[in-house]
Amino acid sequence: MNKFIVRIGVLSLFALLEVNAAHAQSQEAEKVGLYITQEMSFLNMTTTQAERVYQINLQAANAVENLPQNSNTQQIGATKNMESFTDILKQRNLAIQEILSPVQFQLFKENKIIRAATFRTIVMAKMLDLAQDQLDPIFEINQTVVKNVRKDLDLYFSTDNNRGKKNAQRRLHKALKKTDKAFEKVLSPQQTAIYHENVDLLRNVLREEYGTKDSF
C-alpha cells in the first residue's frame, strides 16, 4: 500500500479524535496535554515539533476526558475502557510518528518507561481528576514503578521455568503494592478509594506494554 495513503489514513483517524474532543475542551485536558508534552523533552524537539505534538497530546487528553465514567461507582469499566484508552494512545503515537524524525521516533518507541508512565498518568488524570500539583508526584511514582519492575518483567518473560516466573511474579506484586502505598501519600482519601477500585486497570497498562494477560 502506498505510504502516502497510509499516512493520510492515520491522520484522518486521529482527526476523528480531534473532532470528538473539540466539543469538550477542558482545563483538565489542557493541563494533561501540556504536562505530557513537557515530559517528552528527551526527544529534543524543535519549537514547531513541540507545538504540533502538544496539539496531538491535547487531542488525546480530550478524547480520554470524553470517555464515559460510571457516576454511581466511580469506576471506569476496566475491560471496555482499557480498549478505548489503548486505541486513543495508539492513534496518538501514530500521529506523533508523522511529526518526529525517524531517529526521534525510534527513541520514543524504545523508551518504554516514559511511555508506560505517561499512559498510566493519563489514565489516572481521568480516573481521579488530578490537580495540577498532583501531576508531578504521580508521574514520578509511575516512572519509578515502571523502572523498578522492568527488570523483573524482562526476567519474567525470558525465563523458561515456572520457579523463575513465580519468583519474578512475587517481586512484581511486592513492587506494585509498594507503589499503592506511595500513591496514598499523594491522593486524597476519595481519590485513594477510587484508585483501589480501579487498580487492575493500571496493572493492565504494564500488561499491554508487554503484550501479556498474565496476572501480577
Side-chain angles (χ1 to χ4, degrees):
M1 184 180 291
N2 188 293
K3 288 185 178 180
F4 179 75
I5 295 175
V6 172
R7 288 178 179 175
I8 292 297
V10 167
L11 293 176
S12 297
L13 283 171
F14 201 80
L16 292 175
L17 292 177
E18 183 176 11
V19 171
N20 290 333
H23 298 293
Q25 290 280 354
S26 71
Q27 290 184 343
E28 178 70 21
E30 291 175 1
K31 173 180 65 180
V32 173
L34 179 60
Y35 189 84
I36 294 168
T37 306
Q38 291 171 339
E39 292 300 329
M40 295 173 67
S41 60
F42 68 95
L43 295 173
N44 294 318
M45 294 180 287
T46 66
T47 301
T48 300
Q49 283 180 316
E51 289 174 353
R52 294 177 67 189
V53 167
Y54 165 70
Q55 290 301 322
I56 290 171
N57 285 330
L58 176 60
Q59 292 163 22
N62 268 308
V64 170
E65 184 72 15
N66 290 336
L67 288 176
Q69 184 165 334
N70 189 322
S71 59
N72 293 324
T73 64
Q74 292 183 303
Q75 288 181 303
I76 293 181
T79 302
K80 183 176 181 180
N81 279 286
M82 187 62 197
E83 293 175 358
S84 298
F85 281 126
T86 302
D87 287 343
I88 291 169
L89 267 294
K90 283 180 179 177
Q91 295 303 326
R92 165 201 177 245
N93 292 346
L94 287 170
I96 285 175
Q97 184 176 9
E98 297 298 317
I99 295 171
L100 301 179
S101 70
V103 173
Q104 286 173 317
F105 190 70
Q106 185 62 31
L107 180 61
F108 174 74
K109 285 200 305 181
E110 289 173 353
N111 201 324
K112 285 186 177 182
I113 292 174
I114 293 292
R115 287 214 321 272
T118 298
F119 194 173
R120 283 169 61 95
T121 303
I122 290 174
V123 173
M124 292 181 71
K126 158 71 175 178
M127 180 195 300
L128 306 174
D129 191 22
L130 296 177
Q132 181 69 45
D133 61 357
Q134 289 179 308
L135 283 174
D136 268 336
I138 292 296
F139 182 85
E140 288 173 7
I141 293 170
N142 280 326
Q143 192 171 15
T144 299
V145 66
V146 176
K147 188 183 299 182
N148 288 346
V149 303
R150 185 171 183 179
K151 182 178 179 181
D152 288 324
L153 278 169
D154 290 340
L155 178 62
Y156 179 84
F157 288 108
S158 64
T159 186
D160 293 327
N161 63 79
N162 289 333
R163 184 175 181 180
K165 282 186 177 294
K166 286 182 179 179
N167 287 337
Q169 193 173 32
R170 191 179 302 112
R171 287 194 294 270
L172 283 167
H173 186 71
K174 185 177 180 180
L176 292 171
K177 283 292 185 182
K178 186 177 180 180
T179 301
D180 294 343
K181 295 294 184 183
F183 282 134
E184 289 173 4
K185 295 178 181 179
V186 178
L187 302 175
S188 70
Q190 183 181 15
Q191 288 173 321
T192 299
I194 297 171
Y195 167 79
H196 283 295
E197 289 171 358
N198 291 278
V199 71
D200 196 57
L201 177 64
L202 294 167
R203 301 281 196 273
N204 280 343
V205 174
L206 296 177
R207 297 184 187 112
E208 179 69 26
E209 190 65 57
Y210 278 80
T212 180
K213 296 185 182 298
D214 291 358
S215 176
F216 47 72

